[in-house]
Amino acid sequence: MKQSTIAASPNRTAAWHSILLQYAGLLFALVLLVIAFSFKTNHFFSLTTLHTISNQIPDAVLLAVGMTLVMIVGGIDLSVGSVMALSGAVLGVCLVQWHWPLLPALAACLLTGGVCGLVNGLITVRWKLPSFIVTLGMLEVARGAAYLITKSQTMYIGASVERISSASLWGLSLPFACAIVAVIVAQFALTRMVWGRYAMAVGANEDAVRYAGINPRPIKVAAFTLSGLLAACAAVLQCARLSSADPNAGTGAELQAIAACVIGGTSLLGGRGSIISTFFGVLLIAVLGAGLAQIGAQEPTRRIVTGCVILAAVILDVYRARLASEK
Amino acid sequence: MHPFIKHCLFAFVVVLLASCTSAPQSAKPRIALVMKSLANEFFKTMQDGATAHQQTHAAEYELIANGIKDELDVARQVEIVEQMIAQQVNAIVIAPADSKALVAVCQRAQAAGIVVINIDNKLDAAVLAERNLRIPFVGPDNRKGARLAGEALAKQLKAGDQVAILEGVPTAFNAQQRKAGFEDAMKVAGMNIVSSQSASWETAKANQIAAALLVEKPELKAILCANDSMALGTVAAIKAAGKAGQIRVIGFDNIQAVRQLLKDGQVLATVDQHGDKLAVYGIEYALEVLKTKTVPADKETAVDLVTKEVLATN
């Protein structure tokens, strides 16, 4: 027994080193940001800040996880923000106008997101279209549908959804726990399950996968469906956080999700990506947002700084990758 | 030629001819309503009000209503005005997406003999003066409205208390006016404005910024939001921070979603500028101008403070 653990240890330390190196660039950037903001403001480096950030990010994390899956199979999903708004609108209409109980309303919400994703996937695969265009279409359709069913009005939902954001699980808030679970499950599926390995392969070289006798279509459709489903989950969390369903929710959220993925090193061409890195990407953007708001930065500054940090993080990642490949 | 394309072409020509011949040349004045984003609840309400008004006054005028996709789509709005000029409408009632970029096309409309009435977002006075133009503005004084809400808030606070402002999109005239109105009221009451940031009119963004403000400024006593959507996000942030009841919130617009919060006391006050009537005011004014043929002056419409007490009496 003892011998085997000793024998395994050098291997394990090597594995730890490679993991550390993989996330080192992002961690470094994150720590830099936190230090910078702590110097600039009085209360940034505090538990309350951590708490507010953990409150803000769950929906962004879910969107980014879905986006990573789609990007890994070589696609892109521009519709996530609109699908989130539509799913949230369905939740709002079910609860407020039809007076449904919470559970069926949640089911309807998730179904909406899932179907939107499924349609994205099926159209992309069936007619071999670039997903950029297909999901751009869905972006418009879902946004229009969200306006239609809410009559372009923000709906106040109130106590029935607030339960979700106030509940806690293992000492974490339920939304944050959901986000963590999604990250862990997706990372596991991607690295340890057949579907995940195939997904990586499809993104890297779809023809090779087909020649190997594997049908890449269901794999791609699954990625898009999951992205839609996760967008609906994000909608639930956002509605719970804001106690209301806003048909304008998630405008531009797709770009933020893509930014988080790219900061995390996901390739825009497919075949490469990691959910945990994406999580760090979301964290980076959230810390930046919280810090800039605490400083009281004005809109122009906020946009310029955000853009620069995204670029810096990506450039830093190039050096990190070079270092990793030299080893 | 492929038979399918042939059929399509044929159908297209038929539709084109039909639409040309069937346009009724009635004596009723035709009024074009050119709106901003119909995705926005506020403008939707405005247009619905106008449509309802036209239906009850169908004998008096015809209405052609148009909107753009989002508030930033200025080029599309210019196109719509040009199409309305081509349509030879009698009057254009416009809520400009940009207070400067729409001036030139409004001038072309006037030159074509069309009565132009400006609603919602006031065209830039300097640009109008430079082009020697007079376009009457019919609408509420946003600065006055914001001041009303600010004054109601000030009554609940002590001089020297810390307050923060969440602004709308900084380039929008009404956002600037509301900010100025809040500042007027806070200065008079001797409050300390410790932060003023834009949350782009959005609930989620306001939620993020308010949450950060609550951490950075623990002494904060009130958050003044330039619209109700941002007030919703702010209330949620206050609740999440466990500070419900300790921090006052005011909004603007009196949207449906904020009513419950007013009743609960989570939002202290909002301002009603009677969105459903704003376009109607413009249309009525256009009809009046068409009848009397006078050179019109600006016309201010009502802004009212809405609080829990006001809701209870209605």
Side-chain angles (χ1 to χ4, degrees):
Chain A
M1 269 313 276
K2 192 152 195 193
Q3 252 178 347
S4 71
T5 36
I6 289 167
S9 68
N11 233 338
R12 203 172 284 171
T13 34
W16 270 109
H17 272 162
S18 83
I19 287 176
L20 257 182
L21 200 60
Q22 190 179 351
Y23 303 124
L26 286 167
L27 267 176
F28 182 63
L30 203 56
V31 170
L32 260 183
L33 263 188
V34 171
I35 291 174
F37 282 128
S38 303
F39 274 112
K40 288 290 271 185
T41 65
N42 301 325
H43 300 92
F44 185 80
F45 196 70
S46 66
L47 261 180
T48 353
T49 301
L50 196 67
H51 181 243
T52 50
I53 289 175
S54 75
N55 228 332
Q56 305 280 345
I57 58 167
D59 28 317
V61 169
L62 293 185
L63 290 184
V65 167
M67 185 68 77
T68 312
L69 295 177
V70 171
M71 280 168 75
I72 280 173
V73 297
I76 199 152
D77 188 349
L78 296 181
S79 70
V80 288
S82 298
V83 170
M84 177 168 86
L86 175 61
S87 311
V90 167
L91 182 68
V93 168
C94 288
L95 287 170
V96 177
Q97 285 179 7
W98 300 341
H99 304 289
W100 285 16
L102 187 58
L103 281 180
L106 284 179
C109 168
L110 297 184
L111 189 70
T112 308
V115 168
C116 288
L118 183 67
V119 169
N120 276 338
L122 288 177
I123 294 179
T124 305
V125 165
R126 167 66 181 79
W127 285 283
K128 297 195 177 65
L129 291 169
S131 53
F132 187 93
I133 297 299
V134 175
T135 56
L136 189 63
M138 181 56 81
L139 178 148
E140 292 290 338
V141 171
R143 183 66 67 185
Y147 290 144
L148 196 66
I149 65 170
T150 56
K151 303 190 181 67
S152 303
Q153 297 195 355
T154 301
M155 269 183 290
Y156 182 72
I157 306 176
S160 53
V161 285
E162 280 169 26
R163 272 188 286 172
I164 299 170
S165 61
S166 55
S168 63
L169 200 65
W170 314 310
L172 299 168
S173 75
L174 182 64
F176 192 66
C178 285
I180 296 292
V181 168
V183 167
I184 293 171
V185 169
Q187 177 74 6
F188 182 80
L190 213 52
T191 52
R192 299 290 151 91
M193 279 169 62
V194 176
W195 177 81
R197 306 310 297 173
Y198 282 176
M200 290 271 194
V202 168
N205 191 341
E206 196 174 335
D207 289 332
V209 171
R210 202 175 300 120
Y211 294 144
I214 299 157
N215 185 359
R217 292 173 166 193
I219 296 164
K220 289 176 93 171
V221 173
F224 280 100
T225 311
L226 280 172
S227 175
L229 199 61
L230 284 165
C233 295
V236 172
L237 300 187
Q238 191 175 62
C239 288
R241 180 157 59 89
L242 303 174
S243 317
S244 54
D246 174 8
N248 286 314
T251 318
E254 59 282 348
L255 295 180
Q256 211 172 23
I258 293 169
C261 296
V262 172
I263 289 176
T266 303
S267 166
L268 276 167
L269 303 171
R272 183 164 60 86
S274 141
I275 306 285
I276 294 181
S277 298
T278 295
F279 177 74
F280 279 118
V282 176
L283 213 54
L284 203 75
I285 292 176
V287 166
L288 194 61
L292 288 172
Q294 288 196 18
I295 289 179
Q298 294 300 311
E299 189 72 11
T301 330
R302 215 183 289 162
R303 294 201 157 201
I304 292 170
V305 172
T306 309
C308 290
V309 168
I310 291 175
L311 290 177
V314 179
I315 293 169
L316 204 66
D317 191 62
V318 173
Y319 285 102
R320 195 270 315 154
R322 229 175 257 173
L323 209 67
S325 62
E326 274 167 16
K327 270 217 153 179
Chain B
M1 199 184 278
H2 192 281
F4 177 69
I5 298 175
K6 238 187 220 168
H7 284 139
C8 284
L9 267 180
F10 178 70
F12 180 68
V13 170
V14 167
V15 169
L16 208 67
L17 283 175
S19 60
C20 286
T21 50
S22 70
Q25 292 299 319
S26 60
K28 278 191 288 182
R30 292 158 75 220
I31 296 183
L33 180 62
V34 182
M35 301 292 291
K36 278 205 265 184
S37 161
L38 295 181
N40 183 318
E41 169 173 0
F42 182 68
F43 295 110
K44 181 84 170 24
T45 317
M46 216 192 259
Q47 184 174 11
D48 289 349
T51 317
H53 182 266
Q54 196 272 334
Q55 274 161 5
T56 52
H57 297 78
E60 288 165 43
Y61 71 100
E62 269 179 57
L63 184 71
I64 309 166
N66 269 298
I68 49 176
K69 194 172 80 174
D70 61 55
E71 286 182 40
L72 304 174
D73 200 355
V74 175
R76 173 77 190 127
Q77 204 181 28
V78 172
E79 275 172 40
I80 291 176
V81 177
E82 274 164 354
Q83 282 155 11
M84 290 302 118
I85 299 173
Q87 276 277 319
Q88 297 175 350
V89 295
N90 301 91
I92 293 176
V93 176
I94 180 167
D98 186 288
S99 52
K100 291 188 181 130
L102 266 296
V103 172
V105 78
C106 286
Q107 184 169 29
R108 284 205 287 283
Q110 252 188 2
I114 297 170
V115 171
V116 181
I117 307 281
N118 174 202
I119 57 169
D120 179 56
N121 180 17
K122 196 169 176 174
L123 290 169
D124 191 85
V127 179
L128 286 179
E130 192 189 306
R131 290 173 167 261
N132 211 1
L133 258 185
R134 280 186 66 186
I135 296 175
F137 176 73
V138 179
D141 184 343
N142 275 279
R143 187 166 182 165
K144 186 169 136 195
R147 201 165 55 225
L148 283 176
E151 282 162 359
L153 171 71
K155 280 182 200 150
Q156 309 277 329
L157 301 174
K158 296 190 302 292
D161 276 353
Q162 292 191 356
V163 300
I165 298 176
L166 290 189
E167 308 161 23
V169 172
T171 46
F173 181 70
N174 56 353
Q176 294 158 6
Q177 288 293 300
R178 290 177 191 187
K179 183 188 173 193
F182 284 151
E183 285 172 347
D184 292 347
M186 291 301 104
K187 263 180 208 141
V188 168
M191 301 302 159
N192 180 13
I193 302 173
V194 291
S195 182
S196 184
Q197 297 184 46
S198 165
S200 316
W201 304 125
E202 285 171 34
T203 310
K205 203 149 184 200
N207 183 258
Q208 188 194 16
I209 293 176
L213 274 174
L214 293 175
V215 177
E216 183 59 18
K217 314 280 183 203
E219 296 296 311
L220 204 63
K221 290 287 186 293
I223 300 179
L224 298 79
C225 305
N227 79 353
D228 284 344
S229 298
M230 296 194 290
L232 279 176
T234 303
V235 165
I238 292 172
K239 245 190 248 172
K243 292 193 171 177
Q246 299 168 35
I247 293 169
R248 318 244 177 221
V249 178
I250 57 173
F252 203 113
D253 285 342
N254 192 23
I255 65 172
Q256 191 68 38
V258 93
R259 301 265 159 88
Q260 190 57 43
L261 297 177
L262 276 169
K263 284 179 195 156
D264 298 347
Q266 297 186 75
V267 172
L268 186 73
T270 183
V271 179
D272 195 344
Q273 49 175 337
H274 305 284
D276 56 333
K277 302 218 187 77
L278 286 182
V280 174
Y281 291 144
I283 291 168
E284 283 175 342
Y285 203 51
L287 287 171
E288 197 184 311
V289 173
L290 281 174
K291 242 178 239 158
T292 56
K293 313 255 181 231
T294 48
V295 180
D298 287 1
K299 187 173 164 187
E300 194 183 313
T301 59
V303 283
D304 293 311
L305 187 71
V306 181
T307 57
K308 186 164 46 172
E309 290 75 28
V310 175
L311 279 183
T313 54
N314 282 350

